[in-house]
Amino acid sequence: QVQLVESGGGLVQAGGSVRLSCTASGRTFSTYAMAWFRQAPGKERREFVASIRRTGDTNYADSVKGRFTISRDNAKNTVYLQMNSLKPEDTAVYDCAASTYWIVGSMSDQNKYNYWGQGTQVTVSS
């Protein structure tokens, strides 16, 4: 069983920055694929934001490319999402996800992740 605890959300002005953290339990964090998804107000489905494999390979949604950076610190069992140049449309609950299996193909399919955090709210004011 893997537990994921997110932190770092809050209220920020447009153009500002926020760093989200997600700390995982377990001794084999370095082998997990990790990702961030988000669910905006009024939207029924989560949207893929970014992912990072155990190899360090990263993938981003087009809407955040060049503004967001995902990274991991295996010594701290933590994955980060650095969010810069924030826009009001980035307002959402951000969820951290982990896959303890090697993901074949696309990293953006939420069904490929078997553990989720509780979510952290990010609100960007205009």
Side-chain angles (χ1 to χ4, degrees):
Q1 191 77 314
V2 175
Q3 291 184 323
L4 303 175
V5 179
E6 298 119 329
S7 61
L11 176 64
V12 62
Q13 288 189 332
S17 298
V18 166
R19 189 177 79 158
L20 305 182
S21 301
C22 172
T23 301
S25 63
R27 297 183 178 183
T28 56
F29 173 81
S30 63
T31 68
Y32 303 164
M34 301 296 297
W36 290 94
F37 289 79
R38 67 186 181 187
Q39 188 164 9
K43 295 280 183 75
E44 290 188 359
R45 299 181 66 180
R46 284 194 193 104
E47 171 190 29
F48 170 76
V49 177
S51 64
I52 185 166
R53 291 186 180 270
R54 67 177 78 168
T55 56
D57 291 340
T58 58
N59 189 34
Y60 296 92
D62 288 342
S63 58
V64 307
K65 241 175 233 181
R67 300 188 298 121
F68 291 10
T69 302
I70 189 170
S71 61
R72 65 192 300 160
D73 185 339
N74 291 333
K76 296 183 178 180
N77 277 21
T78 300
V79 63
Y80 303 99
L81 185 67
Q82 178 66 45
M83 306 161 62
N84 298 330
S85 302
L86 283 162
K87 305 174 182 179
E89 51 264 43
D90 294 318
T91 295
V93 174
Y94 283 74
D95 294 310
C96 173
S99 173
T100 55
Y101 304 100
W102 176 261
I103 293 178
V104 177
S106 173
M107 297 284 285
S108 62
D109 181 355
Q110 63 179 318
N111 294 313
K112 294 184 177 180
Y113 296 87
N114 50 340
Y115 293 101
W116 292 84
Q118 81 285 358
T120 186
Q121 176 72 45
V122 174
T123 302
V124 184
S125 63
S126 56

